[in-house]
Amino acid sequence: MTSFSIEPMTATVGVEIEGIDLAAPIGDWVARSLRQALHRHGVLIFRDQIAMTRAHQADFARIFGDIVRSPLGLIADPDVVEIVHDETRPPTENIWHVDHSFSPAPPRGAVLRAIELPTAGGDTLFADMRIVWRRLPEAVQTALRGLDAVHDIAKFAPAACAAELRTAAPPTCHPVMKVHPATGEEILFVNEAYTTGFDGLDEKDGTVLLGYLLDQIRIPEVQCRLRWHPGTIAVWDNRSMQHYATSDYFPQRRVMDRVTIA
Ligand code: SIN
């Protein structure tokens, strides 16, 4: 039986896993243990996976769930989206977000693989929204229970295509406090990229409340920070985590391969 070790990235969020070759078949026991670790720690990091290919990455993602194919998927490898930033395509993911929170059923998670990195920078930060929820004062938690927030793709879309994107994916409401379907833990579910307001609150009150909640995500104690190296793989639970990709390396090139889990 394969054995592996788990090293915490911080006292609370994220772990590095050593001793698993993701280019080799993953047995049922390891797959089950990794699913449990993802639910528990929110972010799993694997280093030095140099032999891993796009096909291995997709196979690995499938141990966590079905793959969501995007229209942006590669022609030769439709399970994979290549995220390329360079001097002609500046980075844009430097905003705290839950992937696709504007959709009625946002993805469960993602597997991201470092392909080409700047000489320094381009780190990714993760925030644990279970901890953010637990740190809120009880009176705030009580006020938020039963409240829905509006998530709109147009908030974070380029102005030229925002209306078109919103027609394809109309704004959606999600509870501000969501319960994780696998662990039963309570999670604050609002994010800077897509949350625009709250159902039943006027714009002024909604803006103040949203600003307060988004400030809680910026507290370093709820975060971990990943420094990428070639062959680094990150898996995150999109239901309990938010992420933020730093854009400090422009105009250098950074290329990542991403597989999204339904
Ligand atoms: C993303 O925001 O999905 C990409 C994260 C990254 O490139 O580090």
Side-chain angles (χ1 to χ4, degrees):
M1 190 184 286
T2 310
S3 72
F4 59 88
S5 64
I6 296 185
E7 292 294 324
M9 294 174 75
T10 71
T12 46
V13 194
V15 291
E16 293 211 9
I17 299 207
E18 287 163 25
I20 302 181
D21 176 4
L22 300 183
I26 292 176
D28 290 346
W29 179 83
V30 173
R32 200 167 44 247
S33 304
L34 292 179
R35 282 192 291 274
Q36 284 167 358
L38 186 63
H39 291 154
R40 180 160 182 197
H41 303 290
V43 183
L44 309 182
I45 307 301
F46 303 81
R47 300 288 189 185
D48 303 319
Q49 301 291 331
I50 299 298
M52 201 175 186
T53 62
R54 285 177 172 150
H56 294 135
Q57 185 178 352
D59 285 347
F60 175 53
R62 279 191 200 92
I63 75 172
F64 300 100
D66 293 337
I67 291 174
V68 191
R69 285 195 172 171
S70 153
L72 304 175
L74 295 164
I75 291 170
D77 292 286
D79 291 335
V80 178
V81 173
E82 193 182 43
I83 306 173
V84 183
H85 293 301
D86 57 22
E87 60 186 340
T88 60
R89 288 162 287 191
T92 54
E93 295 92 2
N94 55 333
I95 182 166
W96 283 107
H97 61 286
V98 171
D99 287 326
H100 288 221
S101 72
F102 51 80
S103 120
R108 184 184 290 194
V111 177
L112 196 63
R113 186 164 68 103
I115 306 296
E116 206 177 318
L117 294 166
T119 46
D123 296 356
T124 303
L125 284 80
F126 298 90
D128 189 326
M129 300 308 295
R130 302 167 296 184
I131 301 176
V132 175
W133 174 262
R134 288 203 292 267
R135 289 170 57 104
L136 291 174
E138 209 177 311
V140 176
Q141 290 182 346
T142 302
L144 294 178
R145 287 181 202 280
L147 189 64
D148 283 346
V150 181
H151 297 249
D152 185 350
I153 189 173
K155 185 178 178 192
F156 183 48
C161 57
E164 193 186 331
L165 289 172
R166 189 195 261 146
T167 305
T172 305
C173 277
H174 290 288
V176 171
M177 188 282 287
K178 275 200 173 195
V179 175
H180 194 291
T183 66
E185 291 167 296
E186 296 180 325
I187 296 156
L188 179 70
F189 198 80
V190 294
N191 69 88
E192 188 168 9
Y194 300 120
T195 309
T196 52
F198 300 91
D199 196 25
L201 277 196
D202 68 29
E203 195 180 328
K204 191 162 156 257
D205 289 347
T207 303
V208 173
L209 176 59
L210 186 58
Y212 166 77
L213 295 176
L214 296 180
D215 278 348
Q216 312 312 307
I217 303 165
R218 299 190 186 101
I219 294 171
E221 281 78 2
V222 307
Q223 302 171 3
C224 66
R225 181 172 184 134
L226 169 61
R227 180 153 199 204
W228 297 91
H229 301 286
T232 299
I233 311 296
V235 187
W236 66 88
D237 186 338
N238 193 48
R239 299 167 295 188
S240 57
M241 299 286 134
Q242 294 195 18
H243 56 286
Y244 177 113
T246 54
S247 70
D248 51 357
Y249 56 91
F250 179 79
Q252 288 190 55
R253 192 173 157 85
R254 179 179 185 268
V255 181
M256 313 295 274
D257 274 357
R258 177 196 164 101
V259 175
T260 302
I261 304 160

